[in-house]
Amino acid sequence: MPSDDLPMTTRDLLRVIADYAAVVAANRTYLIELDAAIGDADHGENLDRGMKAALDRLAEADPGTPADVLQTVATALISKVGGAAGPLYGTAFLRAATSVRGRGELGAADLVGALRAGLGGVVARGKAEVGDKTMVDAWDPAVQAAEQVVTAGGSTREALTAAADAAEEGMRATIPMIARKGRASYLGERSAGHQDPGATSSALLFRVFADVADHSS
């Protein structure tokens, strides 16, 4: 870990979740509009409801470790959110929690490992791969970018910033794609020309991680 690199604490992760909930609420209508074009228009509504439930659960649970935060969010999303968003995001947070169990704070390698585990959960649950026009198109390049930074000796802030940049690029790359998974796949070629809502909400999540790491360092 670089000498000036600060680990991500439980408090930092709580801020990530609070900030992401606010970002989702602010972008709720936008996410609904994206989903209305190629899905069933429920992504923004479902994710907003899920993040509000996660905040309520966290307030009740008073988590003591990063894994506790991630586990609590996972439980809320899986139990409270319908559609694809709850199971996919919930599984991502659950796998991430498992990967950092027992750690009091998360260094760059821990965070990247958690993101890799989260991606594995999304892929296992949704059976999607890069190019299918799903949230994987944001998650996969984000995780790869973060891993490259950490392998090169970069800091947590640098890794998460690279992840956020790559996620946003992956999000934009979904626009010309023809969907091969989910409700959007029913549209066939008509799904091209629209940005995937799951990739969009994922890019928003990675940017929140980067912003919290930037302000904490």
Side-chain angles (χ1 to χ4, degrees):
M1 180 184 295
S3 59
D4 61 346
D5 191 25
L6 295 176
M8 187 163 277
T9 64
T10 302
R11 179 178 293 181
D12 292 330
L13 268 183
L14 287 169
R15 181 177 170 188
V16 167
I17 301 306
D19 288 359
Y20 185 54
V23 166
V24 168
N27 286 275
R28 173 181 170 276
T29 300
Y30 175 53
L31 293 171
I32 288 172
E33 290 170 349
L34 289 177
D35 200 27
I38 57 174
D40 47 14
D42 66 350
H43 187 66
E45 178 68 30
N46 285 342
L47 194 55
D48 183 39
R49 183 172 65 253
M51 292 310 300
K52 285 180 168 62
L55 292 181
D56 289 342
R57 292 279 184 94
L58 287 169
E60 296 169 0
D62 190 23
T65 67
D68 292 340
V69 174
L70 297 169
Q71 176 89 34
T72 302
V73 173
T75 302
L77 292 175
I78 291 171
S79 64
K80 294 292 186 179
V81 182
L88 289 170
Y89 273 107
T91 303
F93 277 98
L94 189 62
R95 293 283 187 92
T98 300
S99 77
V100 297
R101 189 81 60 202
R103 292 176 174 81
E105 55 188 24
L106 307 180
D110 298 321
L111 277 167
V112 170
L115 294 177
R116 171 59 69 182
L119 171 60
V122 171
V123 171
R125 186 81 188 209
K127 311 299 183 189
E129 58 187 33
V130 172
D132 282 346
K133 197 182 183 91
T134 71
M135 59 194 292
V136 172
D137 289 298
W139 274 78
D140 187 84
V143 172
Q144 289 195 49
E147 287 174 339
Q148 290 171 4
V149 170
V150 171
T151 298
S155 67
T156 299
R157 178 180 57 80
E158 291 166 339
L160 291 177
T161 297
D165 291 344
E168 288 167 1
E169 185 175 345
M171 170 194 75
R172 290 188 291 269
T174 66
I175 295 173
M177 292 178 182
I178 296 173
R180 297 198 294 255
K181 292 289 181 182
R183 188 175 293 271
S185 65
Y186 302 161
L187 296 176
E189 293 185 357
R190 287 180 295 154
S191 64
H194 301 282
Q195 187 167 292
D196 181 70
T200 304
S201 61
S202 297
L204 292 172
L205 175 61
F206 281 104
R207 183 57 64 189
V208 168
F209 264 105
D211 287 345
V212 170
D214 188 43
H215 292 138
S216 299
S217 58

